[in-house]
């Protein structure tokens, strides 16, 4: 259960937060608002039948991705699961390319080939967007392995859900990360539920999920996701630990999603109470908490807030216009982006038959 | 040309590539200090050190996934599976990640990785250790599958696979590791997607890959000597990409086809090729397309019975004779 106390003075005074300029603090708020407004637009058009498949909203969890992205040093690499819109926007992907992807359009970040769960931007050190629960976790290991192999002073940020923790490959990966001294921070976004299954019904724990790391000789801690300074301070320490000592760290971040598991989840008021949802919105909303903090610090004014939020809403609305106006992918594109060598028309790509559909 | 084993030919391919390209590394269970469960990587750890030749814990899903992640970042992992049968505990990483990430990222990512190890029956290790997943893997567009039959092909195809910018699933055979053949020293590549005519013939096309090529060659000799039938033996070498042209040219010459396959019959590689020939060369055929495959049962342990499960020269010959 998340506590209602505000960020402590102590974490606000952590060097990484003292170095956080007023502009950066406002930028963090802007990012969170952009994510929320983007997803609200997405929800609206999903409900109008403009999108296929699933739509897993990040609303309620925005602080986590934004805090992590605010600490990336240009060498760090990020990877997450299917609840990936927030991370994508936080690392700098545009609303337009993301919205167009949701609409299945050619201008989407994955050219309409990946959808909601599969956003990628390697140029922004963002490696997806993965639909198989915990499937991304060993990929995160690989990112960390490559950083170490190439002697790049960065770390991998590998996000997973509280439900994902129970996949076997997570245990394998924690072991390998520790055994091989890989620079990786595993970040469990514990929103209390995996689909309709509460943490209590899915996980055998003593006090928390993160302490499983102790069995792998790995440092761990638990963080309140509503506290932006605390998030940044702990993430920073963990990332520095990974970068400089090459030791992995496991963090568990207490957070909450307001919507159902996906929008198709009509049951989400059955496995949890309306009161529970309201109580999180009232007392723990990461955006309200951060706004409040910045108002207190007198960095933010009500009118600034209004204009930042207004701009985020406009940007989100514009991204829908962009997506709607964008073309569908051409049928020929079904057969591109499968083999690199074929796409390059290299000798390897031109040798032998790669696709077996009857072309007649 | 030196005569070396299939195992040594692979070993030479690794040492060539480890020397040539710093981004290549080998990883797997027992590949380093133990020299490889089948000694394919013998001596490489001593020569190239622990950064390049890496022993893993028994965590196929994690180290296959690690390989995919490292390859996305531009490294060239060569990941050994002690048996391809063990891929099944890491299948998600091969199919969903190595196989799909390029597509789902709209081409932003590629995965230049080789996943390799033996994939064969015939060694009395029971069903769980005798799988031949070339058909399963080749069913995923985005993955490539290679099955060499000879030392020469093994080395050239391995070097080409390591240099390939897509994921190549390289399937070896424990029964072939000790076979010898002429193999050039130094580096050479054999392109993926080019079949090899291992024996010229005029009356019937035997189409095979992996160890079945050797069985087919044996059958072809007997068929010639005892029945005066001249069989052409085509070695696919690579399953995906596939050299359809060489197959169709041979069919147009012989007008008869027998597919020989250590894979199971149901949706096996030979089923795909039979369908392809029926679609593209029906008019060339003077007889139905037939197959000799592994018997459609789990691999049995009992030694004499297991021998019956895989294609034998006898089964090939009697099937071939029904086509005349
Ligand atoms: C291997 C696998 N099993 C099941 C699913 C279906 N599924 C998708 S998300 C999910 C719940 C995961 O919950 P959690 O890890 O807590 O992440 P959250 O959705 O809360 O972000 C399930 C069961 C899947 N995508 N992959
Ligand atoms: Mg969850």
């Amino acid at each position: 259960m998340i506590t209602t106390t505000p960020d402590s003075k102590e974490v606000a005074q952590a060097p990484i937060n003292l170095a956080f300029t007023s502009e950066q603090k406002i930028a963090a708020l802007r990012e969170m608002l952009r994510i929320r407004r983007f997803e609200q637009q997405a929800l609206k058009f999903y409900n109008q039948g403009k999108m296929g498949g699933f739509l897993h909203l990040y609303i309620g969890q925005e602080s986590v991705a934004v805090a992590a992205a605010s600490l990336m040093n240009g060498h760090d690499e990020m990877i997450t699961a299917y609840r990936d819109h927030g991370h994508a926007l936080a690392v700098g992907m545009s609303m337009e390319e993301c919205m167009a992807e949701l609409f299945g359009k050619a201008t989407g970040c994955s050219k309409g080939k990946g959808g909601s769960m599969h956003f990628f931007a390697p140029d922004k050190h963002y490696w997806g967007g993965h639909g198989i629960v915990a499937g991304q976790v060993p990929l995160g290991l690989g990112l960390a392995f490559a950083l170490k192999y190439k002697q790049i002073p960065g770390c991998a940020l590998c996000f997973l859900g509280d439900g994902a923790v129970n996949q076997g490959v997570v245990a394998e990966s924690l072991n390998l990360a520790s055994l091989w001294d890989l620079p990786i921070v595993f970040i469990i976004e514990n929103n209390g539920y995996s689909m309709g299954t509460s943490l209590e019904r899915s996980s055998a724990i003593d006090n928390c999920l993160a302490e499983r790391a102790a069995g792998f000789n790995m440092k761990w801690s638990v963080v309140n996701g509503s506290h932006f300074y605390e998030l940044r301070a702990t993430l920073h320490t963990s990332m520095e630990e990974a970068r400089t000592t090459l030791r992995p760290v496991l963090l568990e971040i207490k957070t909450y999603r307001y919507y159902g598991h996906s929008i198709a989840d009509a049951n989400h008021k059955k496995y949890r109470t309306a009161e529970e949802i309201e109580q999180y919105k009232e007392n723990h909303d990461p955006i309200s908490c951060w706004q409040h903090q910045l108002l207190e610090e007198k960095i933010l004014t009500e009118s600034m807030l209004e204009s930042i939020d207004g701009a985020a809403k406009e940007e989100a609305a514009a991204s829908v216009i962009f997506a709607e106006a964008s073309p569908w992918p051409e049928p020929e594109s079904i057969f591109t982006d499968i083999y690199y060598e074929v796409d390059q028309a290299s000798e390897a790509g031109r040798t032998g038959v790669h696709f077996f559909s009857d072309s007649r | 040309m030196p005569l070396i084993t299939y195992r040594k030919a692979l070993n030479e391919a690794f040492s060539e590539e480890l020397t040539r390209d710093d981004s290549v590394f080998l990883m797997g269970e027992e590949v380093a200090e133990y020299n490889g469960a089948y000694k394919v990587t013998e001596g490489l750890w001593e020569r190239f050190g622990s950064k390049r030749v890496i022993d893993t814990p028994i965590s196929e899903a994690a180290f296959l996934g690690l390989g995919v992640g490292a390859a996305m970042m531009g490294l060239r992992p060569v990941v050994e599976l002690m048996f391809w049968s063990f891929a099944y505990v890491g299948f998600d990483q091969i199919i969903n990640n190595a196989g799909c990430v390029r597509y789902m990222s709209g081409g932003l990512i590629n995965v230049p990785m080789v996943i390799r190890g033996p994939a064969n029956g015939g060694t009395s290790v029971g069903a769980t250790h005798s799988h031949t997943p070339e058909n399963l893997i080749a069913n995923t567009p985005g993955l490539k599958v290679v099955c060499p039959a000879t030392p020469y092909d093994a080395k050239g195809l391995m070097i080409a696979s390591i240099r390939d910018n897509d994921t190549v699933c390289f399937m070896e055979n424990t029964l072939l590791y000790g076979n010898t053949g002429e193999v050039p020293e130094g580096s050479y590549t054999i392109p993926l997607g080019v079949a090899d005519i291992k024996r010229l013939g005029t009356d019937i096309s035997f189409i095979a890959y992996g160890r079945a090529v050797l069985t087919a060659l044996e059958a072809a000799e007997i068929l010639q000597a005892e029945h005066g039938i001249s069989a052409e033996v085509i070695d696919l070498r690579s399953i995906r990409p596939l050299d359809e042209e060489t197959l169709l040219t041979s069919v147009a010459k012989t007008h008869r086809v027998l597919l020989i396959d250590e894979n199971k019959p149901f949706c096996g590689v030979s089923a795909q090729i039979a369908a392809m020939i029926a679609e593209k060369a029906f008019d060339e055929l003077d007889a139905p397309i037939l197959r000799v495959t592994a018997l459609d049962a789990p691999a049995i342990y009992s030694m004499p019975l297991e021998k019956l499960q895989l294609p034998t020269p006898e089964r090939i010959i009697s099937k071939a004779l029904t086509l005349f």
Side-chain angles (χ1 to χ4, degrees):
Chain A
M1 183 58 135
I2 294 172
T3 60
T4 50
T5 54
D7 245 334
S8 75
K9 287 271 177 309
E10 218 171 88
V11 286
Q13 300 298 316
I16 191 69
N17 287 329
L18 289 178
F20 203 36
T21 64
S22 303
E23 291 76 52
Q24 290 169 326
K25 291 178 188 180
I26 299 287
L29 178 65
R30 180 180 302 116
E31 279 315 317
M32 288 192 242
L33 282 166
R34 287 179 72 241
I35 294 167
R36 187 159 296 185
R37 299 311 176 207
F38 172 85
E39 288 202 320
Q40 285 169 340
Q41 283 290 311
L43 172 61
K44 182 169 149 196
F45 288 88
Y46 183 89
N47 285 335
Q48 288 180 21
K50 300 278 185 175
M51 296 168 195
F54 303 124
L55 186 72
H56 307 93
L57 297 182
Y58 196 57
I59 292 180
Q61 304 184 204
E62 296 92 335
S63 52
V64 187
V66 171
S70 77
L71 294 162
M72 286 170 76
N73 69 358
H75 299 299
D76 301 325
E77 308 290 343
M78 184 187 279
I79 189 163
T80 188
Y82 45 83
R83 201 176 295 285
D84 63 344
H85 312 149
H87 306 75
L89 295 178
V91 298
M93 290 177 73
S94 76
M95 282 198 197
E96 289 188 343
E97 61 182 323
C98 292
M99 192 64 82
E101 187 63 28
L102 297 180
F103 276 72
K105 296 300 183 74
T107 52
C109 50
S110 296
K111 304 181 190 164
K113 295 179 176 181
S116 161
M117 304 190 282
H118 308 110
F119 289 1
F120 298 85
D123 63 325
K124 299 181 173 66
H125 304 272
Y126 184 53
W127 298 94
H130 294 269
I132 299 296
V133 169
Q136 80 280 11
V137 176
L139 299 186
L141 278 186
L143 303 177
F145 178 93
L147 288 170
K148 181 177 176 183
Y149 192 95
K150 299 181 185 180
Q151 299 182 302
I152 295 171
C155 66
L157 299 171
C158 180
F159 291 85
L160 61 156
D162 50 289
V165 169
N166 296 318
Q167 282 281 32
V169 74
V170 175
E172 292 182 28
S173 298
L174 294 176
N175 179 58
L176 258 190
S178 184
L179 185 73
W180 287 358
D181 293 317
L182 297 180
I184 182 166
V185 183
F186 297 98
I187 302 167
I188 303 168
E189 295 194 62
N190 179 0
N191 57 16
Y193 296 89
S194 47
M195 286 188 72
T197 305
S198 64
L199 183 69
E200 294 68 41
R201 293 201 300 122
S202 69
S203 299
I205 56 171
D206 194 357
N207 302 296
C208 62
L209 287 168
E211 67 187 357
R212 289 184 185 180
F216 298 99
N217 185 27
M218 190 186 299
K219 286 193 186 162
W220 58 272
S221 49
V222 180
V223 188
N224 182 335
S226 311
H227 291 172
F228 200 71
Y229 281 137
E230 182 186 332
L231 260 177
R232 270 181 49 92
T234 312
L235 275 165
H236 171 72
T237 315
S238 308
M239 289 163 77
E240 269 302 289
E241 169 101 8
R243 291 176 192 131
T244 58
T245 68
L246 301 178
R247 288 298 298 161
V249 180
L250 176 67
L251 298 181
E252 174 179 349
I253 300 182
K254 302 266 193 177
T255 182
Y256 198 78
R257 62 165 159 78
Y258 299 163
Y259 288 90
H261 164 70
S262 75
I263 300 313
D265 171 13
N267 262 335
H268 81 106
K269 292 193 176 145
K270 295 198 177 130
Y271 56 76
R272 55 185 190 174
T273 62
E275 293 73 43
E276 177 182 302
I277 303 170
E278 275 320 303
Q279 121 83 359
Y280 275 95
K281 286 187 184 173
E282 275 299 302
N283 299 316
H284 311 286
D285 183 67
I287 299 183
S288 308
C289 290
W290 188 234
Q291 265 170 218
H292 186 73
Q293 177 73 35
L294 298 188
L295 288 166
E296 290 248 297
E297 289 183 30
K298 305 217 182 328
I299 292 171
L300 183 71
T301 62
E302 289 293 349
S303 74
M304 278 166 76
L305 177 59
E306 228 166 85
S307 92
I308 293 170
D309 195 27
K313 284 179 178 160
E314 261 173 46
E315 188 188 357
S319 75
V320 170
I321 293 170
F322 172 82
E324 293 218 272
S326 291
W328 295 107
E330 295 294 333
E332 299 80 66
S333 77
I334 289 175
F335 289 107
T336 57
D337 304 316
I338 299 170
Y339 294 103
Y340 177 93
E341 301 288 0
V342 173
D343 295 335
Q344 303 300 311
S346 66
E347 197 169 338
R350 286 181 278 115
T351 306
V353 175
H354 286 75
F355 303 113
F356 297 86
S357 312
D358 191 346
S359 53
R360 287 171 300 174
Chain B
M1 253 191 281
L3 268 183
I4 62 169
T5 61
Y6 185 104
R7 164 190 289 116
K8 178 75 176 127
L10 289 168
N11 187 284
E12 286 186 3
F14 301 139
S15 95
E16 292 289 337
E17 290 305 284
L18 283 164
T19 306
R20 187 186 65 84
D21 182 351
D22 280 345
S23 64
V24 175
F25 66 96
L26 309 188
M27 180 171 69
E29 292 158 17
E30 311 291 357
V31 299
E33 301 193 27
Y34 191 82
N35 278 324
Y38 287 97
K39 302 289 173 263
V40 175
T41 52
E42 186 154 30
L44 297 175
W45 174 68
E46 275 174 7
R47 246 181 91 196
F48 293 96
S50 298
K51 180 175 179 187
R52 313 288 303 285
V53 184
I54 307 166
D55 279 326
T56 66
I58 306 158
S59 303
E60 280 80 5
F63 69 72
L64 283 165
L66 188 154
V68 178
M72 298 191 318
M73 292 270 287
L75 298 184
R76 292 184 175 272
V78 179
V79 179
E80 173 172 312
L81 291 164
M82 193 181 281
F83 284 72
W84 258 100
S85 292
F86 307 158
Y88 293 33
V89 303
F91 225 49
D92 177 43
Q93 297 304 321
I94 300 175
I95 306 295
N96 282 318
N97 288 344
C100 299
V101 74
R102 178 168 182 76
Y103 202 63
M104 295 197 305
S105 66
L108 294 173
I109 296 173
N110 64 302
V111 183
M113 172 165 73
V114 173
I115 307 172
R116 56 156 289 268
N120 58 282
T123 57
S124 297
V125 285
T128 58
H129 284 56
S130 303
H131 293 297
T132 54
E134 56 270 23
N135 57 327
L136 300 190
I137 303 283
N139 193 245
T140 296
L143 297 174
K144 298 177 175 176
V145 182
V146 173
C147 300
T150 66
Y152 175 82
D153 289 344
K155 181 172 174 183
L157 285 166
M158 179 56 82
I159 294 178
S161 298
I162 294 173
R163 295 182 189 176
D164 198 283
N165 288 298
D166 296 302
T167 300
V168 180
C169 295
F170 198 100
M171 304 197 185
E172 303 155 17
N173 188 315
T174 54
L175 294 170
L176 299 181
Y177 280 145
N179 286 6
T180 52
E182 287 195 341
V183 176
E185 284 175 61
S187 218
Y188 63 92
T189 57
I190 295 173
L192 275 59
V194 179
D196 185 40
I197 302 175
K198 289 279 194 282
R199 183 186 197 277
L200 280 167
T202 51
D203 304 332
I204 183 168
S205 301
F206 286 174
I207 298 173
Y209 61 91
R211 198 176 77 106
V213 171
L214 308 186
T215 320
L217 283 167
E218 229 179 288
E221 291 306 321
I222 300 169
L223 211 54
Q224 183 78 61
E226 297 181 5
H227 303 277
I229 293 171
S230 159
E232 180 146 293
V233 178
I234 299 177
D235 177 1
L236 298 178
R237 299 199 289 200
S238 127
I239 309 297
R240 187 171 188 147
L242 181 70
D243 182 355
E244 291 189 354
E245 204 182 311
T246 298
L247 304 184
L248 295 171
T249 306
S250 179
V251 173
K253 177 169 81 174
T254 65
H255 310 294
R256 285 179 175 77
V257 182
L258 184 65
L259 293 144
I260 301 115
D261 193 350
E262 295 196 352
N263 209 195
K264 299 283 193 277
F266 193 94
C267 295
V269 170
S270 56
Q272 167 64 29
I273 292 173
M276 186 276 289
I277 293 170
E279 283 167 11
K280 298 190 176 172
F282 186 76
D283 293 342
E284 295 290 353
L285 293 170
D286 287 346
I289 304 165
L290 292 185
R291 300 188 287 158
V292 176
T293 70
L295 298 186
D296 200 14
I300 196 167
Y301 164 69
S302 180
M303 289 70 90
L305 291 195
E306 195 193 24
K307 287 203 175 61
L308 301 178
Q309 282 190 310
L310 297 180
T312 56
E314 297 68 43
R315 271 170 68 201
I316 296 171
I317 292 162
S318 65
K319 215 24 133 5
L321 290 174
T322 68
L323 293 173
F324 289 90

